[in-house]
Amino acid sequence: MTLEIPRIISVDDHVVEPPNLWQDRLPAKFKDRGPRVVREKAKFNFVGGVFSYEKGAEDGEWCDWWLYDDLVYPFPKLSAAVGFDTLDVTPVTFDDIRPGAWIQSERLKDMAANHTDASICFPNILPRFCGQAFYERQDKELALLCVQAYNDWIIDEWCAGDGKGILLPMTLIPLWDPELAAKEVRRCAAKGSFAVAFSENPVPLGLPSVHDKDRFWDPFFRACEETDTIVCMHIGSSSKMPSTSPDAPFIVSSTLTFQNAMGSLVDYIFSGVLDRFPKMKIAYAEGQVGWMPYVLERADKLWHERDDNDFGSSLANKPSSYIKDRIYGCIFDDEIGLKNRDIIGIDQICFEVDYPHADSTFPHTHKVALEIATQAGLTQEECYKLFRGNAIKAFGLERFGITQ
């Protein structure tokens, strides 16, 4: 029997922030310091997991640069890679990229042609994956206004009008203040957003970990639980990517990206956060799931063998018991993960298109989905859960009129 792939709900896509996003929304006194775009040549390098660049290089290529206070950041091709014949770490401009990366009407056309019914978009370039750029700036009054401007734009513009119920909002928080973060979660939930981007590991950003003895993040987690807002963590949202050595090529880092999600999962389980907030849900983007069975097996064994707290664990229940209905992974081509779906739980695996990034299956997502589902031996019911049903459950998409 040939499997039928349902219309897909992608839980990890990205939107390229339009050049006028902040200029249209910030108070006049901040416009000359707020995020804006200029065009100038650039030269890029990526070695050992570290991205470096030179602005104004005469032998470089034309690039659109984001300027924001002391931040000067270029537009790399990999942030909007769909449609390019070659994938490399090179500069681009808004004129070069596929319009669907940042124009709503064009994104809706691309989704319709790619067997995709709905899309949840992370931020992309200027904010980075969880708003790190705003946390890193000294002027926190301006930074908070930038966070709020982004959230208002994605709710009221990107996900509104013709995109309502198709493009689904994910908002940011002011990472530097958990009370302000909680307030922003509640504000956005009142406006109709129930997904928030957060760091897979706040420590590399200079922030407390989820193990913090003073429970720094609890106000934020409490607001997420009380508003039924899912906490979404994209690989790289710690501003650190795995590598093996300073001179390792980019492909090494790309192969190991799952390590960020793996470490974060272990943190959340052993930190006790999921015990303190029993209704809170978290989701990992672009981390795949093939690594999960062994990690959960190892965690369970250590919990059983060393439950006297000498190793810092005081969990009431075994680690793997926190997965069901609480922790969601997502895949774009993880056949090993699907073969182990009974261990992970097919109900906990969602699907992503990752438009417009380099790993995106666009414009062949239906073909890829059918191939991986067939190779893994999925049933028709499992296909529905993977490509659609689990996303509805995890993200509460009934609120947007998506019920089946």
Side-chain angles (χ1 to χ4, degrees), residues 34-92:
R36 58 207 183 277
V37 172
V38 299
R39 186 164 294 181
E40 195 170 344
K41 287 190 174 182
K43 193 172 184 179
F44 287 2
N45 194 22
F46 196 109
V47 177
V50 178
F51 174 44
S52 60
Y53 44 85
E54 179 185 349
K55 186 171 183 283
E58 291 185 3
D59 59 342
E61 301 173 63
W62 285 109
C63 180
D64 279 340
W65 293 79
W66 279 101
L67 308 182
Y68 162 37
D69 259 3
D70 62 318
L71 176 65
V72 179
Y73 195 76
F75 191 161
K77 182 193 289 185
L78 293 181
S79 291
V82 296
F84 287 103
D85 293 332
T86 58
L87 296 180
D88 48 31
V89 185
T90 54
V92 292

Side-chain angles (χ1 to χ4, degrees), residues 235-248:
I235 53 109
S237 55
S238 58
S239 296
K240 184 178 180 180
M241 296 299 287
S243 190
T244 55
S245 63
D247 56 349

